[in-house]
Amino acid sequence: MIKTTTRRAVLAAIVAGASLMSAGAALAEKVKVAAIYTLPVEQQWISRIHKALNTAAERGDIDYVFSENVANTDYERVMREYAEQGVQLIMGEVFGLERAARKVAKDYPDTAFLMGSSFGPVAPNFSVFDNWIHEPSYLTGMVAGAATESNVIGMVGGYAIPEVNRLMHAFMDGAREVNPDVTFIVNFIDSWYDPPKAKESAFAMMDAGADVMYAERFGVSDAAVERGVKAIGNVIDTAGAYPGTIMASALWHMEATVDKAISNVAAGTFEAADYGQYSFMAYGGGSLVMDESLVAPETVEAVKAKEAEIMDGLFRVNVNDDRPVSDN
């Protein structure tokens, strides 16, 4: 009896030890991730990356740290500091400082880099991503094109870079599908975050006849509320903040991109690649949200039918990176 009890105690200790070792191994296997942002994490585009990384951290998959409001002149230094600290995956956006970022990646070949970029990946460790939400942008264009009564839609963007241009063109194509008579007023405020400037630009478009606004930047929806016109959202869902104004939004979800990168780093298989496809609707990287109380039933039906065609691979939204211009 004593021997049996002793044997059971030993087995229990072994099991407990194994459990502790497994828990320790699980903790040790967490991927160390750092993100570098040039703007606050509340900003539309950056918030999507931050949200996805926080979700992975809450699952226990990664240890996540980040730096926000990093000036372009400090970006390279911060990248190097994280690499020196042994961070396994560094994420962020490198628009405007491509050469510096790629130089850092070359100096740290054992560190994985996944950066928002207008250009391609570079072996062995510099991968790129982008917010390829042109598909839901097309669908929101259909909503706007059907809703406008003046046949004039205003569009306020940040900078005329490919990442913005392609979403605007997709939106315009969607609007034209349902309304061949629609025209557009387009303006770029040359800032990623200047709500007052975006608001003033929107007011000018409304004065010129626009009765639906494409809100690529913060500030446009505020103008729409003040003038009582409808708006289309971009990247994040702001309908709750502007009830009765936002008819539809093209949403970006970074979870598919982030999870794929983390998995590759954990498995030791990370290599230079373009992760852009993981922002497509088929991967759950993009989606459409509509306030059906603000959209005509026949439009809702048409949009959902087109969405199904996109998901089934029967319709491909055109990609146009050229700067969009006003019709007037």
Side-chain angles (χ1 to χ4, degrees):
M1 187 68 171
I2 293 176
K3 289 182 179 180
T4 301
T5 303
T6 302
R7 188 181 300 113
R8 287 175 178 171
V10 171
L11 288 173
I14 291 173
V15 170
S19 297
L20 288 172
M21 289 175 64
S22 297
L27 290 173
E29 290 169 2
K30 280 188 179 181
V31 175
K32 295 180 180 179
V33 180
I36 311 169
Y37 306 120
T38 59
L39 293 169
V41 292
E42 291 81 13
Q43 192 265 352
Q44 292 155 283
W45 202 87
I46 286 170
S47 71
R48 302 296 84 193
I49 309 169
H50 186 58
K51 177 178 180 292
L53 288 170
N54 273 322
T55 298
E58 289 165 4
R59 285 199 309 261
D61 295 344
I62 65 173
D63 286 324
Y64 172 46
V65 295
F66 66 93
S67 297
E68 59 183 337
N69 289 315
V70 177
N72 281 6
T73 52
D74 285 337
Y75 208 95
E76 180 178 347
R77 175 186 61 79
V78 177
M79 287 181 73
R80 291 185 182 280
E81 287 181 356
Y82 278 133
E84 290 288 342
Q85 292 169 15
V87 170
Q88 296 164 274
L89 173 63
I90 298 176
M91 293 189 64
E93 83 282 16
V94 295
F95 307 107
L97 45 117
E98 296 276 359
R99 293 185 185 278
R102 291 161 191 268
K103 178 183 177 182
V104 174
K106 187 175 182 180
D107 291 342
Y108 296 92
D110 295 328
T111 303
F113 294 85
L114 178 57
M115 295 291 182
S117 170
S118 299
F119 299 95
V122 177
N125 62 328
F126 191 90
S127 292
V128 297
F129 69 88
D130 208 342
N131 64 328
W132 288 87
I133 55 171
H134 54 299
E135 296 165 326
S137 294
Y138 184 98
L139 299 175
T140 63
M142 293 177 65
V143 173
T148 178
E149 296 179 359
S150 65
N151 285 335
V152 180
I153 295 176
M155 305 182 71
V156 180
Y159 289 95
I161 63 172
E163 291 70 24
V164 175
N165 297 346
R166 70 174 67 111
L167 304 187
M168 284 188 161
H169 276 295
F171 171 87
M172 295 163 83
D173 288 345
R176 292 188 185 108
E177 177 182 328
V178 299
N179 184 354
D181 297 324
V182 70
T183 60
F184 302 92
I185 305 174
V186 182
N187 184 43
F188 293 92
I189 62 172
D190 293 330
S191 172
W192 290 131
Y193 189 77
D194 192 340
K197 190 173 182 179
K199 188 175 181 180
E200 288 305 312
S201 180
F203 281 144
M205 294 177 182
M206 295 173 198
D207 289 340
D211 63 349
V212 176
M213 295 300 305
Y214 177 78
E216 200 271 330
R217 291 292 101 194
F218 284 143
V220 177
S221 295
D222 297 282
V225 169
E226 289 190 27
R227 292 288 182 88
V229 306
K230 296 296 186 285
I232 299 294
N234 182 60
V235 176
I236 61 176
D237 186 2
T238 58
Y242 303 99
T245 296
I246 306 293
M247 295 187 295
S249 297
L251 307 184
W252 186 30
H253 311 286
M254 268 292 286
E255 284 75 10
T257 302
V258 164
D259 292 348
K260 182 65 174 179
I262 292 170
S263 175
N264 287 343
V265 171
T269 58
F270 186 92
E271 58 184 16
D274 187 342
Y275 281 68
Q277 64 178 325
Y278 299 108
S279 287
F280 285 23
M281 293 182 74
Y283 287 94
S287 70
L288 167 76
V289 60
M290 276 191 296
D291 184 341
E292 296 188 16
S293 69
L294 302 177
V295 183
E298 59 271 20
T299 301
V300 171
E301 183 179 354
V303 169
K304 288 184 176 180
K306 185 63 68 175
E307 180 179 21
E309 288 184 17
I310 291 172
M311 296 298 288
D312 291 339
L314 299 175
F315 181 77
R316 181 174 294 178
V317 176
N318 184 49
V319 174
N320 184 349
D321 289 345
D322 295 336
R323 181 186 183 118
V325 296
S326 301
D327 292 314
N328 301 326

